């Protein structure tokens, strides 16, 4: 059975989006991009812009499932809070479109894609490209989104194997 999975690396200035097609145990890259919001706009205006652009992508690709990176608290709690708001926007869009949403910790994505939970972004980009059969020569937000989609494809395959 084929399944379209859309991965999202959330942000309030840039939102990474990766779309893959899962067929059995193989995955193939369909699209990857970084949605940019106007950098000097207010948070509200940036999120409004990201919302409209992501809404169009959901309509274009009709994913069966969406996977998003879970929030992590770094040294800046304000940034983490704003990313949480961006994640809420993605949740709202998935609800609007009736698409099931799955969350993955950054370390789980790295572990699944590279075999190491502390891999750097370049290692993630390289391995995700190998796994989807296409070098990922786009920005890190987009390649992270592809890695999140690949992680979800891998996790759902593992769950289906374990349920047999």
């Amino acid at each position: 059975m084929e399944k379209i999975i859309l991965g999202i690396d959330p942000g309030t200035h840039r939102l990474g989006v990766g779309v893959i097609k899962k067929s059995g145990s193989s995955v193939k890259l369909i699209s990857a991009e970084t949605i940019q919001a106007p950098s000097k706009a207010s948070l509200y205006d940036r999120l409004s812009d990201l919302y409209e652009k992501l809404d169009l992508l959901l309509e274009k690709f009709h994913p069966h499932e969406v996977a998003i990176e879970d929030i992590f608290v770094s040294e800046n709690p304000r940034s983490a809070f704003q990313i949480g708001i961006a994640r809420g926007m993605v949740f709202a869009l998935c609800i609007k479109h009736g698409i099931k949403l799955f969350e993955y910790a950054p370390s789980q994505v790295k572990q699944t894609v590279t075999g190491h939970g502390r891999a750097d972004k370049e290692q993630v980009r390289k391995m995700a490209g190998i796994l989807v059969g296409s070098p990922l020569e786009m920005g890190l937000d987009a390649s992270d989104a592809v890695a999140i989609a690949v992680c979800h494809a891998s996790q759902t395959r593992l769950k289906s194997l374990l349920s047999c």
Side-chain angles (χ1 to χ4, degrees):
M1 179 176 114
E2 287 189 346
K3 185 184 287 189
I4 303 297
I5 300 168
L6 190 142
I8 296 177
D9 183 27
T12 59
H13 292 277
R14 293 179 311 278
L15 191 86
V17 179
V19 184
I20 63 171
K21 182 189 296 184
K22 178 182 180 243
S23 300
S25 62
S26 69
V27 291
K28 180 182 173 193
L29 180 66
I30 295 174
S31 176
E33 66 182 273
T34 300
I35 301 172
Q36 295 273 136
S39 61
K40 296 188 182 202
S42 69
L43 177 62
Y44 177 87
D45 290 335
R46 290 193 318 265
L47 290 176
S48 177
D49 189 61
L50 295 172
Y51 181 97
E52 290 176 20
K53 292 173 181 174
L54 182 57
D55 193 29
L56 291 173
L57 289 176
L58 291 172
E59 289 176 12
K60 177 180 178 180
F61 292 110
H62 300 287
H64 297 99
E65 296 170 342
V66 171
I68 188 169
E69 189 172 72
D70 203 354
I71 200 163
F72 69 98
V73 178
S74 62
E75 296 175 15
N76 188 341
R78 180 180 168 89
S79 292
F81 180 73
Q82 288 186 345
I83 290 172
I85 294 169
R87 284 172 32 86
M89 175 202 66
V90 173
F91 275 71
L93 273 168
C94 288
I95 291 167
K96 173 185 173 186
H97 287 272
I99 305 169
K100 183 89 171 149
L101 180 72
F102 299 84
E103 303 173 85
Y104 296 95
S107 60
Q108 184 178 8
V109 173
K110 292 174 183 180
Q111 178 70 39
T112 301
V113 173
T114 69
H116 188 306
R118 293 187 182 266
D120 66 34
K121 288 186 174 283
E122 283 301 326
Q123 290 173 302
V124 171
R125 180 201 314 246
K126 182 176 180 182
M127 286 305 300
I130 290 169
L131 293 170
V132 298
S134 177
L136 301 179
E137 298 173 353
M138 69 282 298
L140 292 172
D141 297 304
S143 62
D144 282 354
V146 171
I148 293 162
V150 168
C151 175
H152 177 66
S154 175
Q155 295 300 312
T156 56
R157 178 165 162 35
L158 180 62
K159 287 176 187 171
S160 70
L161 291 173
L162 292 174
S163 67
C164 293

